[in-house]
Amino acid sequence: VADLGRERNPYQPYQDPRTTLIIDDGRSYMENTDKKYDLVAFGLPDSLSLVSSYSSVRLESFLFTMESFSSVRKVMKDEALFVAYNYFREEWLVERIAGMLELAFGEPPVVLVRPETNMTAVFFAGPLAATVPDDLGSRFGFERRAYPSPVAGAPIPPAHPPLPLTTKPHPPPQYPYTPGLFLRLAALSL
């Protein structure tokens, strides 16, 4: 894929001397490098792929965690920006990520969402997040949203391994009654 990008991308970003192509596990690289960056981006991680065919854990469960966001902060320059975007399907996932970014970076992130497209969300965090224009994304149907601060006790806790990102923070309201319902149905069938 990298070779195709080098050969066929009409903008030739790989020929720019400011671009460094790194093919490695992102979290491992961030935890082991001493380099600092102006921009760190998590763009559309393949959340439809399982880490293993024997698992239900998805790639985003490793990238969208407090540990990962803390590693991102560590590799950023003083004047830098972190950007992440993906289709999150559920708004509570967007709220969870916004809360983790606030905890990792010390300031609420700028969050743009487009609910009608599988809850597409774009997050901007870090020192330069405050420079994101207010109307950015509005031309494409994105709206800027603020989420409850985790510092003030937001209801959705951060994700830490081994808790997958997609683990719901609270069971559905009917869950406590479900086992009893199944037992009653089983007794009736006897």
Side-chain angles (χ1 to χ4, degrees):
V1 172
D3 289 339
L4 285 172
R6 258 193 299 274
E7 295 167 10
R8 297 187 181 193
N9 189 315
Y11 300 107
Q12 299 185 335
Y14 299 106
Q15 285 75 6
D16 188 318
R18 298 171 296 173
T19 300
T20 303
L21 176 63
I22 299 164
I23 301 175
D24 190 0
D25 173 72
R27 281 188 60 182
S28 172
Y29 179 80
M30 287 187 298
E31 291 168 3
N32 294 304
T33 188
D34 57 354
K35 293 184 178 180
K36 300 283 185 179
Y37 295 91
D38 298 315
L39 174 68
V40 177
F42 289 177
L44 292 174
D46 190 0
S47 60
L48 298 176
S49 295
L50 300 175
V51 174
S52 158
S53 60
Y54 300 105
S55 169
S56 63
V57 177
R58 301 190 183 282
L59 178 61
E60 60 197 6
S61 295
F62 293 97
L63 287 176
F64 295 112
T65 65
M66 283 301 304
E67 292 74 12
S68 179
F69 293 148
S70 295
S71 292
V72 167
R73 183 68 190 111
K74 182 186 85 112
V75 301
M76 290 174 61
K77 292 182 179 177
D78 292 337
E79 294 295 314
L81 184 65
F82 171 66
V83 180
Y85 53 95
N86 205 353
Y87 303 99
F88 291 100
R89 298 172 305 282
E90 302 279 345
E91 188 159 23
W92 67 265
L93 286 169
V94 175
E95 183 176 342
R96 173 177 274 167
I97 292 167
M100 289 189 295
L101 288 170
E102 181 174 344
L103 290 172
F105 288 89
E107 295 288 330
V110 172
V111 183
L112 305 178
V113 296
R114 192 168 181 214
E116 67 276 359
T117 56
N118 263 338
M119 203 59 193
T120 304
V122 183
F123 301 90
F124 300 90
L128 294 180
T131 66
V132 173
D134 288 338
D135 63 346
L136 182 70
S138 60
R139 184 173 136 199
F140 302 103
F142 283 86
E143 55 190 68
R144 197 170 179 146
R145 288 200 183 161
Y147 290 94
S149 171
V151 178
I156 299 180
H160 297 275
L163 176 73
L165 172 72
T166 55
T167 300
K168 284 199 171 209
H170 307 288
Q174 75 278 9
Y175 180 76
Y177 307 106
T178 305
L181 177 64
F182 286 132
L183 288 174
R184 278 187 232 127
L185 289 173
L188 289 174
S189 66
L190 294 177

